[in-house]
């Protein structure tokens, strides 16, 4: 297994949230299963129990990527796929979420080209480098037609549709300086101990974690209610998108929504008060009960609040 020297920096995590799927070890082909099992044994601190955040491991992923860029000509994507993963151990079962950094880099490149001015993209990543990366991507996709990322990333906001798989009871907030399972930190009954891969006090962290079966059930119920009430609405399209992505994975997986670096943007008071998944649940409950006005009020309040967060990307 390849080892990478991680450069410790004072760089904060980017203001990005992540939606992750952890598949049980049994979901992987035999050879890959053995590799991940050995990886989990070697990286014991990364095997995070359900009540603990993976914030330290996520920061290590970013630092590793930054270290690989030092002293080199900027590249649109890594030369080879990452052999790292986020790992959770729940009730004696090992769950793995591969970083798949190269695949996600291809996707990020596509997003960048669609969102940034051409001149800016050409300055940061020369056209020849992008063309070579796109050719590699096309060849790889031809060989791996069913490939999909275990991690989705959103910058500067948590898309409202990402809350659909979760309920209020799935929420886990770990304040700065506390560990999950301590007073004020984590969900009731959460695992005690410091965050995996880091030292006590590396908070804050806010994440939701739920079984795949529950996530699919919630998304399906939301989709049915939304399709009947607002068939052309943005959220019904979002529910379909999230539902299709979840169907790509093993039915006994875990689904996690991690606020990631957004915790540093929101601040402790807003994090403590944030109950976005619960608010969306309330709105959908009202919609199913026929109270369209209350459902719209809850949705608009949630949407406006996150749009204000998104608007901070333009702040100087």
């Amino acid at each position: 297994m390849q080892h990478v020297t991680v450069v410790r920096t004072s760089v904060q995590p980017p203001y990005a949230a992540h939606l992750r799927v952890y598949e049980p070890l049994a979901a992987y082909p035999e050879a890959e299963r053995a590799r991940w099992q050995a990886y989990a044994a070697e990286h014991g601190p990364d095997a995070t129990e359900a009540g603990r955040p993976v914030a330290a491991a996520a920061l290590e992923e970013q630092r590793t990527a930054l270290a690989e860029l030092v002293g080199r000509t900027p590249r649109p994507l890594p030369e080879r796929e990452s052999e790292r993963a986020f790992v959770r151990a729940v009730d004696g079962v090992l769950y793995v979420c591969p970083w798949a950094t190269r695949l996600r880099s291809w996707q990020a490149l596509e997003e960048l080209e669609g969102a940034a001015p051409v001149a800016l993209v050409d300055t940061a990543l020369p056209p020849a480098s992008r063309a070579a990366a796109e050719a590699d991507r096309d060849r790889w996709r031809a060989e791996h037609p069913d490939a999909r990322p275990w991690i989705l990333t959103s910058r500067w906001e948590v898309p409202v549709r990402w809350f659909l798989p979760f309920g209020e009871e799935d929420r886990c907030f770990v304040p700065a300086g506390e560990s999950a399972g301590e007073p004020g930190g984590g969900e009731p009954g959460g695992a005690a101990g410091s965050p995996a891969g880091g030292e006590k006090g590396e908070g804050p962290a806010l994440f939701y974690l739920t079984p795949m079966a529950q996530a699919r059930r919630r998304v399906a119920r939301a989709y049915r209610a939304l399709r009947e009430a607002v068939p052309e609405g943005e959220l019904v399209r979002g529910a379909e998108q999230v539902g299709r992505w979840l169907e790509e994975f093993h039915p006994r997986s875990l689904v996690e929504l991690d606020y990631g670096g957004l915790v540093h943007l929101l601040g402790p008071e807003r994090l403590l008060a944030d109950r976005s998944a619960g608010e969306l649940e309330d709105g959908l409950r009202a919609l199913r009960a026929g109270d369209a006005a209350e459902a719209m009020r809850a949705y608009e309040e949630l949407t406006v609040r996150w749009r204000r967060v998104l608007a901070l990307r333009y702040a100087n």
Side-chain angles (χ1 to χ4, degrees):
M1 182 171 294
Q2 189 178 27
H3 295 273
V4 178
T5 299
V6 177
V7 177
R8 297 297 174 188
T9 74
S10 60
V11 177
Q12 288 278 16
Y15 295 142
H18 309 280
L19 189 63
R20 304 187 184 104
V21 170
Y22 296 77
E23 293 192 281
L25 205 57
Y28 295 90
E30 187 173 352
E32 200 170 346
R33 190 185 315 158
R35 180 167 67 85
W36 287 129
Q37 195 159 24
Y39 174 87
E42 182 180 352
H43 298 79
D46 287 347
T48 312
E49 296 183 22
R52 301 180 188 172
V54 294
L59 183 56
E60 183 178 343
E61 181 188 19
Q62 183 212 7
R63 285 169 169 164
T64 299
L66 289 174
E68 289 205 351
L69 292 174
V70 174
R72 299 183 182 182
T73 301
R75 297 190 314 272
L77 72 160
E79 294 178 349
R80 59 183 64 85
E81 189 53 277
S82 171
E83 294 183 349
R84 303 293 302 275
F86 297 108
V87 180
R88 285 193 176 275
V90 181
D91 296 331
V93 179
L94 200 63
Y95 297 85
V96 178
C97 175
W99 287 2
T101 308
R102 198 162 194 251
L103 173 58
R104 290 162 56 210
S105 296
W106 275 320
Q107 293 178 321
L109 179 59
E110 292 176 2
E111 294 171 6
L112 177 65
E113 291 177 329
V118 174
L120 177 61
V121 177
D122 286 348
T123 301
L125 297 169
S129 298
R130 297 204 312 277
E134 290 164 0
D136 287 343
R137 176 198 61 200
D138 293 341
R139 283 193 295 269
W140 188 88
R141 279 183 173 170
E143 298 171 358
H144 305 83
D146 299 325
R148 72 281 189 269
W150 287 263
I151 306 171
L152 302 181
T153 297
S154 174
R155 296 157 190 84
W156 292 95
E157 67 166 343
V158 179
V160 172
R161 64 183 180 276
W162 282 14
F163 292 108
L164 289 170
F166 306 96
E168 183 75 15
E169 68 273 18
D170 301 320
R171 181 181 185 274
C172 185
F173 173 52
V174 183
E178 294 185 14
S179 299
E182 292 185 345
E187 58 193 2
S194 57
E199 299 178 356
K200 180 178 175 180
E202 279 195 356
L206 178 58
F207 65 97
Y208 293 80
L209 188 69
T210 197
M212 176 64 80
Q214 182 72 285
R216 288 178 179 173
R217 190 178 304 117
R218 288 193 180 110
V219 172
R221 289 189 68 202
Y223 178 71
R224 287 194 297 269
L226 290 163
R227 188 179 56 183
E228 292 175 4
V230 282
E232 299 301 320
E234 180 181 352
L235 193 54
V236 72
R237 292 190 294 271
E240 182 177 11
Q241 180 186 34
V242 171
R244 288 182 182 276
W245 182 66
L246 293 179
E247 288 294 333
E248 296 284 337
F249 301 95
H250 193 280
R252 294 187 179 179
S253 301
L254 299 175
V255 186
E256 178 184 57
L257 169 55
D258 184 356
Y259 275 43
L262 287 180
V263 297
H264 303 288
L265 183 66
L266 296 173
E269 292 184 2
R270 292 169 74 180
L271 288 172
L272 185 61
D274 185 286
R275 54 177 301 270
S276 296
E279 290 178 66
L280 186 56
E281 268 193 316
D282 292 343
L284 290 169
R285 193 178 298 113
L287 187 63
R288 285 192 288 268
D291 191 346
E294 174 59 22
M296 182 59 70
R297 185 204 64 77
Y299 175 68
E300 286 184 348
E301 185 174 305
L302 183 60
T303 302
V304 167
R305 189 165 68 248
W306 278 105
R307 282 177 180 165
R308 287 173 181 160
V309 176
L310 179 63
L312 292 175
R313 66 181 171 180
Y314 300 113
N316 188 334

